[in-house]
Amino acid sequence: MESSHMKIRTIISALSVVLTTTLVSADDISINLVASNSTQQMVPGFQTNVFRYTANLVTGPPSTLTVLPNTYLGPTISVNTGDNVHVHFQNNLLVETTTHWHGLDVTEAADGHPKDAMPAGGSYDYDFIVRNRAGTYWYHPHPDMMTGEQVYKGLASFLIVSDDAEQALDLPRGEFDLPICIQDADFDSSNQLVFSGANMMGMFGNTQLINGRVDTNYSAATRIYRVRLLNGSQSRILKLAFDDGSPMVVIGVDGGLLEAPKQVPYLMMGPGERYELWVDFSTKNLSDVISLQSLAFDQLAGGIGQGDAKDIMTFTIDRSEQETLVLPTSLVPMGEIYDVADVTSEKVWPIVWGSGEFLLNGQTFDMLGTIANERASGDALEKITMTNLEGNIKFAHPMHLHGRQFQILSRSIAAGGVNAYNTVKDGLVDDGWHDTFLIMPYETVELLIRWSKHPGLFMYHCHNLPHEDMGMMRNFELSAQTCPADLNRDGVINISDFLEIIAQWGSPFGDVTGDDRTDVADILATIADWGVCSPGFRGLPQVPLRSGRPKPSK
Ligand SMILES: [Cu+2]
């Protein structure tokens, strides 16, 4: 017995040497990130006091950090799936903060939960393996009751993930791969940002910002652009369209590229959401100006302050260049497409207007608290039904779940909301992987989510940031998955799981031991657990369900 185990270990060791030298090569990336008070020339005259992320690269490819020109926004962080990322964060603000990697499936300790806020002058180390597909993600603060103000003052930027499947496609690259962060702000007479604070009306600025600048024109060539849109605004829901009738061709959503391009007459976009467009200027003429606008929609489909027509930005064609790219008919497979028949549990989370605030799942934010229907096992597939049906005040809410990306199963609208809904419904793109979605007044939305394998306490909340800061945020708590070596989830740990580990070698996706790496330790754990898998098979410790404590009074 002893010697056969020895043989297996010898074979595995040899195998692992071969595999590590031939398969996925991931980078070790180390970044020093600092948040501090700063100033920025945003409008002519006085400089504006802002918060600013700055970063320097300690290890990793030089392309990891890039800066958008003349902006208060932080550096764009570009990584690849499988990269091992370490961010040493220094808080030089005068207030507490955390950093959240919006859309990434990271550990509890790296997720930026407000319970992990560092005080002024404090520091924090975020460590995560990039498990996500290629896509447009972003990072921003997440402290309790102050997220809106900190994002508003400049703490936000893009986190771009790439992978082999994306690289294999002929998509616009370099300067034709264009991140666009859409925000609005108000300036006072001395050019300082006016923040109206957390209130249920939300926050709408009169000044349009594109990538943190009041200059909302972009000089473009007669080329095709991959435009990565981020709605980084506090509250404003966008209904985007081009004024020249150019089609809105969506190629990507929150969690990366779609399986195939999807054309919509206009694109609805709530705060926190990302969509990627294929924008074809190749047939434009020199001096053409194409305007990206937010079209009017029925205020009852959004809530107070929503639905005004608005100019967002312009593209001025200033040079003629040859274009050879053509829109791919297929992009990247989603991978697993969830089947509602495989759901192991269901949760219903209503949104209801309660005394002076929107309640989520009947509750307001409680720093460490969860209630029974906010707990799940890691890696379990569940259906979540969110409803926006009750109460005499109804707003649209951009709802965000931390951790894994999910799939949108269905939408249904109750009679009272149909007319308003008809002014927005054709722009809701539910294909693909999402971490944020708009739920409209009178609407019911069903999601399918396979919970993260990372145990711990994570948040779901409204990404209308004044709503979030008022307490429209809750925790969900994931216990360790019961059978981590059963990678193909067939109830038995056998050769097929072993082969899955080999297939995922070096990536984060064949992980059994919980370190986000697929390596020899996972093979050994699989052998140790070989056989029938049942809940509690490995006797893994369940994450203790902590008792909540009351939220400090506002
Ligand atoms: Cu909300």
Short mmCIF file of all heavy atoms in Angstrom, two decimals, residues 450-493:
data_model
loop_
_atom_site.label_atom_id
_atom_site.label_comp_id
_atom_site.label_asym_id
_atom_site.label_seq_id
_atom_site.Cartn_x
_atom_site.Cartn_y
_atom_site.Cartn_z
N ARG A 450 -24.18 30.29 -9.73
CA ARG A 450 -23.40 29.27 -9.04
C ARG A 450 -22.48 30.02 -8.10
O ARG A 450 -21.58 30.73 -8.53
CB ARG A 450 -22.60 28.40 -10.03
CG ARG A 450 -21.93 27.23 -9.34
CD ARG A 450 -21.19 26.32 -10.29
NE ARG A 450 -22.03 25.51 -11.16
CZ ARG A 450 -22.82 24.51 -10.76
NH1 ARG A 450 -22.91 24.21 -9.48
NH2 ARG A 450 -23.53 23.83 -11.62
N TRP A 451 -22.77 29.91 -6.81
CA TRP A 451 -22.05 30.70 -5.82
C TRP A 451 -20.56 30.45 -5.90
O TRP A 451 -20.12 29.36 -6.24
CB TRP A 451 -22.56 30.39 -4.41
CG TRP A 451 -23.98 30.79 -4.19
CD1 TRP A 451 -25.05 29.96 -4.06
CD2 TRP A 451 -24.50 32.13 -4.07
NE1 TRP A 451 -26.20 30.69 -3.87
CE2 TRP A 451 -25.89 32.02 -3.87
CE3 TRP A 451 -23.91 33.39 -4.12
CZ2 TRP A 451 -26.71 33.15 -3.72
CZ3 TRP A 451 -24.72 34.50 -3.97
CH2 TRP A 451 -26.10 34.38 -3.77
N SER A 452 -19.82 31.46 -5.54
CA SER A 452 -18.36 31.34 -5.53
C SER A 452 -17.91 30.18 -4.66
O SER A 452 -18.58 29.80 -3.70
CB SER A 452 -17.75 32.64 -4.98
OG SER A 452 -16.36 32.50 -4.84
N LYS A 453 -16.75 29.63 -5.00
CA LYS A 453 -16.14 28.62 -4.15
C LYS A 453 -15.47 29.25 -2.93
O LYS A 453 -15.02 28.54 -2.04
CB LYS A 453 -15.09 27.84 -4.93
CG LYS A 453 -15.66 26.91 -5.99
CD LYS A 453 -14.55 26.09 -6.63
CE LYS A 453 -15.11 25.08 -7.61
NZ LYS A 453 -14.05 24.20 -8.15
N HIS A 454 -15.36 30.58 -2.95
CA HIS A 454 -14.69 31.24 -1.83
C HIS A 454 -15.68 31.40 -0.68
O HIS A 454 -16.68 32.09 -0.82
CB HIS A 454 -14.19 32.63 -2.25
CG HIS A 454 -13.17 32.59 -3.33
ND1 HIS A 454 -13.32 33.20 -4.55
CD2 HIS A 454 -11.96 31.97 -3.39
CE1 HIS A 454 -12.25 32.99 -5.30
NE2 HIS A 454 -11.41 32.24 -4.62
N PRO A 455 -15.41 30.78 0.46
CA PRO A 455 -16.33 30.93 1.59
C PRO A 455 -16.21 32.31 2.22
O PRO A 455 -15.19 32.99 2.06
CB PRO A 455 -15.87 29.84 2.56
CG PRO A 455 -14.42 29.65 2.24
CD PRO A 455 -14.25 29.94 0.78
N GLY A 456 -17.27 32.71 2.92
CA GLY A 456 -17.19 33.96 3.66
C GLY A 456 -18.37 34.87 3.43
O GLY A 456 -19.40 34.47 2.88
N LEU A 457 -18.19 36.10 3.86
CA LEU A 457 -19.26 37.10 3.86
C LEU A 457 -19.04 38.06 2.69
O LEU A 457 -17.98 38.68 2.58
CB LEU A 457 -19.19 37.86 5.19
CG LEU A 457 -20.43 38.57 5.70
CD1 LEU A 457 -21.55 37.58 5.97
CD2 LEU A 457 -20.08 39.33 6.98
N PHE A 458 -20.03 38.15 1.82
CA PHE A 458 -19.95 39.02 0.64
C PHE A 458 -21.23 39.85 0.55
O PHE A 458 -22.23 39.53 1.18
CB PHE A 458 -19.79 38.19 -0.63
CG PHE A 458 -18.55 37.33 -0.65
CD1 PHE A 458 -18.57 36.05 -0.11
CD2 PHE A 458 -17.37 37.81 -1.19
CE1 PHE A 458 -17.43 35.26 -0.11
CE2 PHE A 458 -16.23 37.02 -1.20
CZ PHE A 458 -16.26 35.74 -0.66
N MET A 459 -21.21 40.85 -0.30
CA MET A 459 -22.35 41.76 -0.35
C MET A 459 -23.17 41.64 -1.62
O MET A 459 -22.66 41.27 -2.67
CB MET A 459 -21.86 43.20 -0.22
CG MET A 459 -21.46 43.54 1.19
SD MET A 459 -20.57 45.08 1.24
CE MET A 459 -19.11 44.63 0.36
N TYR A 460 -24.42 41.95 -1.49
CA TYR A 460 -25.24 42.28 -2.66
C TYR A 460 -25.94 43.58 -2.33
O TYR A 460 -26.31 43.83 -1.18
CB TYR A 460 -26.22 41.15 -3.01
CG TYR A 460 -27.32 40.85 -2.02
CD1 TYR A 460 -28.62 41.26 -2.26
CD2 TYR A 460 -27.08 40.10 -0.88
CE1 TYR A 460 -29.65 40.97 -1.38
CE2 TYR A 460 -28.10 39.81 0.02
CZ TYR A 460 -29.39 40.24 -0.24
OH TYR A 460 -30.40 39.95 0.64
N HIS A 461 -26.09 44.44 -3.32
CA HIS A 461 -26.58 45.78 -3.00
C HIS A 461 -27.00 46.52 -4.26
O HIS A 461 -26.70 46.11 -5.38
CB HIS A 461 -25.48 46.58 -2.28
CG HIS A 461 -24.22 46.78 -3.07
ND1 HIS A 461 -24.05 47.84 -3.94
CD2 HIS A 461 -23.07 46.06 -3.13
CE1 HIS A 461 -22.84 47.76 -4.47
NE2 HIS A 461 -22.22 46.69 -4.02
N CYS A 462 -27.68 47.63 -4.03
CA CYS A 462 -28.01 48.54 -5.12
C CYS A 462 -26.76 49.34 -5.47
O CYS A 462 -26.06 49.83 -4.59
CB CYS A 462 -29.14 49.47 -4.70
SG CYS A 462 -29.63 50.57 -6.05
N HIS A 463 -26.47 49.47 -6.78
CA HIS A 463 -25.30 50.25 -7.20
C HIS A 463 -25.67 51.68 -7.55
O HIS A 463 -24.84 52.44 -8.07
CB HIS A 463 -24.55 49.57 -8.35
CG HIS A 463 -23.07 49.61 -8.18
ND1 HIS A 463 -22.33 50.77 -8.36
CD2 HIS A 463 -22.19 48.66 -7.81
CE1 HIS A 463 -21.06 50.50 -8.13
NE2 HIS A 463 -20.94 49.24 -7.79
N ASN A 464 -26.93 52.08 -7.30
CA ASN A 464 -27.23 53.50 -7.20
C ASN A 464 -26.58 53.89 -5.87
O ASN A 464 -27.09 53.56 -4.80
CB ASN A 464 -28.75 53.71 -7.17
CG ASN A 464 -29.14 55.17 -7.10
OD1 ASN A 464 -28.41 55.99 -6.54
ND2 ASN A 464 -30.30 55.50 -7.64
N LEU A 465 -25.42 54.55 -5.93
CA LEU A 465 -24.56 54.63 -4.74
C LEU A 465 -25.21 55.34 -3.56
O LEU A 465 -25.02 54.91 -2.42
CB LEU A 465 -23.20 55.24 -5.11
CG LEU A 465 -22.40 54.37 -6.10
CD1 LEU A 465 -21.07 55.06 -6.45
CD2 LEU A 465 -22.13 52.98 -5.55
N PRO A 466 -26.01 56.39 -3.78
CA PRO A 466 -26.74 56.94 -2.63
C PRO A 466 -27.69 55.92 -1.98
O PRO A 466 -27.86 55.93 -0.76
CB PRO A 466 -27.51 58.12 -3.23
CG PRO A 466 -26.65 58.56 -4.38
CD PRO A 466 -26.11 57.27 -4.95
N HIS A 467 -28.28 55.05 -2.78
CA HIS A 467 -29.11 53.99 -2.19
C HIS A 467 -28.26 53.04 -1.35
O HIS A 467 -28.61 52.69 -0.23
CB HIS A 467 -29.82 53.19 -3.29
CG HIS A 467 -30.92 53.94 -3.98
ND1 HIS A 467 -31.79 53.35 -4.85
CD2 HIS A 467 -31.29 55.25 -3.91
CE1 HIS A 467 -32.65 54.25 -5.31
NE2 HIS A 467 -32.36 55.41 -4.75
N GLU A 468 -27.14 52.63 -1.93
CA GLU A 468 -26.24 51.72 -1.20
C GLU A 468 -25.82 52.34 0.13
O GLU A 468 -25.86 51.69 1.18
CB GLU A 468 -25.00 51.43 -2.05
CG GLU A 468 -23.92 50.66 -1.30
CD GLU A 468 -22.62 50.50 -2.10
OE1 GLU A 468 -22.69 50.52 -3.35
OE2 GLU A 468 -21.56 50.37 -1.48
N ASP A 469 -25.41 53.62 0.07
CA ASP A 469 -24.90 54.27 1.28
C ASP A 469 -25.99 54.49 2.33
O ASP A 469 -25.70 54.67 3.51
CB ASP A 469 -24.23 55.59 0.92
CG ASP A 469 -22.86 55.37 0.26
OD1 ASP A 469 -22.27 54.29 0.49
OD2 ASP A 469 -22.39 56.25 -0.47
N MET A 470 -27.24 54.49 1.88
CA MET A 470 -28.35 54.60 2.83
C MET A 470 -28.71 53.25 3.44
O MET A 470 -29.57 53.16 4.31
CB MET A 470 -29.59 55.18 2.14
CG MET A 470 -29.51 56.67 1.88
SD MET A 470 -29.56 57.66 3.38
CE MET A 470 -31.30 57.57 3.78
N GLY A 471 -28.09 52.20 2.97
CA GLY A 471 -28.32 50.90 3.59
C GLY A 471 -28.99 49.88 2.70
O GLY A 471 -29.39 48.82 3.18
N MET A 472 -29.12 50.19 1.38
CA MET A 472 -29.73 49.21 0.47
C MET A 472 -28.65 48.20 0.06
O MET A 472 -28.23 48.12 -1.09
CB MET A 472 -30.32 49.91 -0.75
CG MET A 472 -31.25 49.01 -1.54
SD MET A 472 -32.01 49.89 -2.91
CE MET A 472 -32.85 48.51 -3.68
N MET A 473 -28.21 47.48 1.07
CA MET A 473 -27.09 46.55 0.92
C MET A 473 -27.26 45.46 1.97
O MET A 473 -27.69 45.73 3.09
CB MET A 473 -25.77 47.31 1.13
CG MET A 473 -24.53 46.46 1.13
SD MET A 473 -23.04 47.41 0.69
CE MET A 473 -22.80 48.41 2.15
N ARG A 474 -26.95 44.25 1.59
CA ARG A 474 -27.04 43.12 2.51
C ARG A 474 -25.84 42.20 2.29
O ARG A 474 -25.17 42.27 1.27
CB ARG A 474 -28.34 42.32 2.27
CG ARG A 474 -29.61 43.04 2.65
CD ARG A 474 -29.77 43.21 4.14
NE ARG A 474 -29.80 41.92 4.83
CZ ARG A 474 -29.68 41.79 6.16
NH1 ARG A 474 -29.50 42.85 6.93
NH2 ARG A 474 -29.71 40.60 6.72
N ASN A 475 -25.61 41.34 3.26
CA ASN A 475 -24.59 40.30 3.10
C ASN A 475 -25.22 39.01 2.64
O ASN A 475 -26.36 38.71 2.99
CB ASN A 475 -23.92 40.00 4.45
CG ASN A 475 -23.08 41.14 4.96
OD1 ASN A 475 -22.22 41.65 4.24
ND2 ASN A 475 -23.32 41.54 6.20
N PHE A 476 -24.46 38.22 1.89
CA PHE A 476 -24.75 36.80 1.82
C PHE A 476 -23.51 36.07 2.32
O PHE A 476 -22.40 36.59 2.26
CB PHE A 476 -25.16 36.33 0.41
CG PHE A 476 -24.15 36.55 -0.68
CD1 PHE A 476 -23.14 35.62 -0.91
CD2 PHE A 476 -24.21 37.67 -1.49
CE1 PHE A 476 -22.22 35.81 -1.94
CE2 PHE A 476 -23.29 37.87 -2.51
CZ PHE A 476 -22.29 36.95 -2.73
N GLU A 477 -23.75 34.90 2.90
CA GLU A 477 -22.64 34.17 3.51
C GLU A 477 -22.53 32.80 2.88
O GLU A 477 -23.50 32.04 2.84
CB GLU A 477 -22.86 34.05 5.02
CG GLU A 477 -21.72 33.31 5.71
CD GLU A 477 -21.40 33.87 7.08
OE1 GLU A 477 -22.31 34.45 7.70
OE2 GLU A 477 -20.25 33.72 7.52
N LEU A 478 -21.34 32.50 2.37
CA LEU A 478 -21.10 31.22 1.71
C LEU A 478 -20.29 30.32 2.63
O LEU A 478 -19.27 30.73 3.17
CB LEU A 478 -20.33 31.43 0.40
CG LEU A 478 -21.00 32.35 -0.62
CD1 LEU A 478 -20.13 32.47 -1.88
CD2 LEU A 478 -22.39 31.84 -0.99
N SER A 479 -20.79 29.09 2.80
CA SER A 479 -19.99 28.11 3.54
C SER A 479 -19.10 27.38 2.53
O SER A 479 -19.37 27.39 1.33
CB SER A 479 -20.90 27.13 4.27
OG SER A 479 -21.86 26.60 3.39
N ALA A 480 -18.05 26.76 3.05
CA ALA A 480 -17.14 26.04 2.16
C ALA A 480 -17.92 24.99 1.39
O ALA A 480 -18.82 24.35 1.94
CB ALA A 480 -16.03 25.39 2.98
N GLN A 481 -17.58 24.79 0.14
CA GLN A 481 -18.31 23.80 -0.65
C GLN A 481 -18.09 22.43 -0.03
O GLN A 481 -17.05 22.14 0.55
CB GLN A 481 -17.86 23.84 -2.11
CG GLN A 481 -16.41 23.49 -2.31
CD GLN A 481 -16.03 23.58 -3.77
OE1 GLN A 481 -15.10 24.25 -4.13
NE2 GLN A 481 -16.77 22.89 -4.61
N THR A 482 -19.11 21.59 -0.16
CA THR A 482 -19.08 20.33 0.57
C THR A 482 -18.20 19.28 -0.07
O THR A 482 -17.79 18.34 0.58
CB THR A 482 -20.50 19.78 0.71
OG1 THR A 482 -21.14 19.83 -0.56
CG2 THR A 482 -21.30 20.59 1.71
N CYS A 483 -17.93 19.39 -1.33
CA CYS A 483 -17.25 18.30 -2.01
C CYS A 483 -16.28 18.85 -3.06
O CYS A 483 -16.50 18.68 -4.26
CB CYS A 483 -18.31 17.43 -2.67
SG CYS A 483 -17.90 15.71 -2.67
N PRO A 484 -15.23 19.53 -2.63
CA PRO A 484 -14.43 20.31 -3.57
C PRO A 484 -13.71 19.49 -4.64
O PRO A 484 -13.40 20.02 -5.70
CB PRO A 484 -13.43 21.03 -2.67
CG PRO A 484 -13.43 20.29 -1.39
CD PRO A 484 -14.78 19.68 -1.24
N ALA A 485 -13.45 18.20 -4.37
CA ALA A 485 -12.74 17.41 -5.38
C ALA A 485 -13.66 16.89 -6.47
O ALA A 485 -13.20 16.35 -7.47
CB ALA A 485 -12.01 16.25 -4.73
N ASP A 486 -14.97 17.06 -6.27
CA ASP A 486 -15.92 16.62 -7.30
C ASP A 486 -16.09 17.74 -8.32
O ASP A 486 -17.12 18.39 -8.40
CB ASP A 486 -17.26 16.26 -6.64
CG ASP A 486 -18.26 15.72 -7.64
OD1 ASP A 486 -17.84 15.31 -8.75
OD2 ASP A 486 -19.46 15.73 -7.33
N LEU A 487 -15.05 17.93 -9.12
CA LEU A 487 -15.02 19.10 -9.99
C LEU A 487 -16.12 19.09 -11.04
O LEU A 487 -16.63 20.13 -11.43
CB LEU A 487 -13.65 19.19 -10.69
CG LEU A 487 -12.52 19.67 -9.78
CD1 LEU A 487 -11.19 19.46 -10.47
CD2 LEU A 487 -12.69 21.13 -9.42
N ASN A 488 -16.49 17.89 -11.51
CA ASN A 488 -17.54 17.85 -12.53
C ASN A 488 -18.93 17.63 -11.93
O ASN A 488 -19.90 17.42 -12.65
CB ASN A 488 -17.23 16.81 -13.61
CG ASN A 488 -17.23 15.41 -13.05
OD1 ASN A 488 -17.43 15.22 -11.84
ND2 ASN A 488 -17.01 14.43 -13.90
N ARG A 489 -19.00 17.67 -10.60
CA ARG A 489 -20.27 17.71 -9.86
C ARG A 489 -21.19 16.53 -10.19
O ARG A 489 -22.40 16.70 -10.36
CB ARG A 489 -21.01 19.03 -10.14
CG ARG A 489 -20.16 20.26 -9.89
CD ARG A 489 -20.93 21.54 -10.13
NE ARG A 489 -20.10 22.72 -10.00
CZ ARG A 489 -19.57 23.38 -11.02
NH1 ARG A 489 -19.80 22.99 -12.26
NH2 ARG A 489 -18.82 24.44 -10.80
N ASP A 490 -20.59 15.32 -10.33
CA ASP A 490 -21.43 14.16 -10.62
C ASP A 490 -21.61 13.27 -9.39
O ASP A 490 -22.14 12.16 -9.49
CB ASP A 490 -20.86 13.35 -11.79
CG ASP A 490 -19.50 12.76 -11.46
OD1 ASP A 490 -18.95 13.07 -10.38
OD2 ASP A 490 -18.98 11.99 -12.28
N GLY A 491 -21.18 13.74 -8.22
CA GLY A 491 -21.42 13.01 -6.99
C GLY A 491 -20.38 11.96 -6.67
O GLY A 491 -20.48 11.28 -5.65
N VAL A 492 -19.39 11.82 -7.52
CA VAL A 492 -18.34 10.84 -7.24
C VAL A 492 -16.99 11.44 -7.66
O VAL A 492 -16.89 12.13 -8.67
CB VAL A 492 -18.62 9.49 -7.95
CG1 VAL A 492 -18.72 9.67 -9.44
CG2 VAL A 492 -17.56 8.46 -7.60
N ILE A 493 -15.99 11.19 -6.83
CA ILE A 493 -14.65 11.69 -7.15
C ILE A 493 -13.89 10.54 -7.80
O ILE A 493 -13.63 9.51 -7.18
CB ILE A 493 -13.95 12.18 -5.86
CG1 ILE A 493 -14.74 13.36 -5.29
CG2 ILE A 493 -12.51 12.59 -6.16
CD1 ILE A 493 -14.42 13.67 -3.86
#
